[in-house]
Amino acid sequence: MQPRPSTFSIVARDPETDAVGVAVQSKFVSVGSVVPFAAADAGAIATQSFANVAYGPEGLDHLRDGKSATEVVEALTDADDDAATRQVGVVGRDGSVAAFTGEECLDYAGDLQGEHYTVQGNILENAKTLEAMADAYESTDGGLPERLVAALHAGNEAGGDRRGEQSAALYVAKPEGGYDGGNDRWVDVRVDDHDRPIEELERVFKVYDVTLLERVEPAETRELTGETAREVRAALADLGLYDGEGAEAADEGFGEDARAALEEFRGINNFENHSLVVLEDALARGWSDAEGSGEQRLVDAVWHGLSRLDRR
């Protein structure tokens, strides 16, 4: 018998950007290879419990054919002799939402729907896991990726997977959202085996966001000054990119040598989506909110500083 992942997930659509996506956590290795399916021209699907991975491509085809989420769930489960062991959540690009929890899914198992989203889980600590996920998704500011990750955090904190944590994934499709606009794979981040997979998923997503996703240009930018400039210079020095000498080190400025170091940091980390001026502005705005030290804090500060700008 195949192992049964104990899993909680959220499937959602952002009507403002036409993005659809899935976020999922499980006490199961590489849950991202099993549960999430999404396509910008169809919708998004999470298939779990004794997951029938055929639900993904078949369900997306049904959505493309014009079926509602409810009709898709009915078509998938009616054709499946083992439907009682399955759990599935579906959101169509048309905004329709539906889910199914088979009567043989292990407690606690259930699902909950809201406008443009559905949450579902099995082998959960409690029903509050799903309620917390829904509340977090509805109340969190930011784009679809941030709201999906917030739902995972909330579900985990409310009880989560009764067997523990192991892997997590975030998959969001948007028209021409992929690399260089060549496909719809806007966000595709996975943590396959980790003690704190949701926290690690969020960390990796921030790097992905800064590196691959584009933001609108800011109307105004700031320069690094004072204590923030000194700390950023020190972080660049720790990375071997800045020697810490010169007049700017004494007056706590952020001059030509420091900007050359920041430019090298930008190139090493593939942050070419953002100009040097925008990167410095992001550090100036995001440094106080950033966590960690060294390179981790630099990246986290850039992410916080860019977060005020809309994604393209």
Side-chain angles (χ1 to χ4, degrees):
M1 181 178 292
Q2 292 293 319
R4 182 201 300 251
S6 49
T7 304
F8 55 93
S9 66
I10 177 167
V11 186
R13 170 180 179 265
D14 179 3
E16 294 185 4
T17 62
D18 286 331
V20 290
V22 181
V24 57
Q25 196 280 150
S26 183
K27 180 63 175 75
F28 187 83
V29 70
S30 191
V31 71
S33 68
V34 176
V35 170
F37 294 83
D41 65 346
I45 295 172
T47 174
Q48 55 201 52
S49 189
F50 277 120
N52 183 343
V53 294
Y55 279 13
E58 290 177 8
L60 293 175
D61 282 344
H62 285 313
L63 289 170
R64 290 188 186 96
D65 289 341
K67 287 185 172 67
S68 69
T70 298
E71 291 170 330
V72 170
V73 168
E74 291 174 351
L76 294 174
T77 56
D78 286 350
D80 186 354
D81 291 340
D82 295 317
T85 69
R86 316 292 194 197
Q87 190 171 48
V88 61
V90 179
V91 173
R93 65 169 302 196
D94 62 356
S96 61
V97 176
F100 171 84
T101 298
E103 60 185 13
E104 294 180 19
C105 292
L106 298 182
D107 285 338
Y108 174 78
D111 55 78
L112 180 64
Q113 288 73 54
E115 188 174 9
H116 299 293
Y117 75 88
T118 175
V119 295
Q120 45 281 318
N122 61 88
I123 320 185
L124 300 179
E125 188 68 32
N126 51 45
K128 291 181 180 178
T129 296
L130 301 181
E131 296 166 4
M133 292 176 71
D135 289 344
Y137 181 76
E138 292 183 4
S139 62
T140 298
D141 294 328
L144 183 59
E146 285 89 350
R147 298 174 71 191
L148 292 174
V149 173
L152 290 188
H153 275 302
N156 201 44
E157 291 166 5
D161 189 322
R162 183 150 50 90
R163 298 193 302 182
E165 303 176 59
Q166 187 170 4
S167 66
L170 174 65
Y171 186 27
V172 184
K174 190 178 80 166
E176 299 181 353
Y179 185 78
D180 199 30
N183 59 26
D184 67 357
R185 190 181 299 174
W186 191 40
V187 179
D188 187 0
V189 180
R190 283 168 39 182
V191 174
D192 286 341
D193 187 23
H194 197 276
D195 291 341
R196 304 288 291 176
I198 301 173
E199 292 179 7
E200 179 66 2
L201 183 73
E202 183 172 32
R203 184 194 69 79
V204 176
F205 165 67
K206 288 179 178 180
V207 178
Y208 182 104
D209 189 9
V210 173
T211 307
L212 293 175
L213 305 187
E214 296 183 356
R215 304 271 182 167
V216 299
E217 289 290 317
E220 297 180 358
T221 58
R222 299 177 183 175
E223 294 184 353
L224 283 161
T225 59
E227 180 67 12
T228 301
R230 187 193 68 77
E231 292 181 1
V232 171
R233 289 200 327 270
L236 292 169
D238 288 344
L239 295 175
L241 303 178
Y242 176 72
D243 64 13
E245 301 295 333
E248 64 188 47
D251 65 13
E252 295 191 343
F254 201 79
E256 182 177 338
D257 290 345
R259 290 193 175 90
L262 183 59
E263 175 64 22
E264 188 173 357
F265 173 81
R266 185 174 79 106
I268 290 171
N269 287 279
N270 302 298
F271 291 166
E272 286 87 356
N273 277 350
H274 316 289
S275 70
L276 184 62
V277 171
V278 170
L279 203 64
E280 182 176 349
D281 172 76
L283 286 168
R285 295 176 186 272
W287 190 255
S288 62
D289 294 323
E291 298 179 350
S293 60
E295 185 170 13
Q296 180 181 349
R297 187 169 184 185
L298 286 166
V299 174
D300 201 46
V302 171
W303 184 84
H304 279 286
L306 292 173
S307 292
R308 69 189 178 92
L309 306 173
D310 291 335
R311 292 189 180 95
R312 294 177 189 265

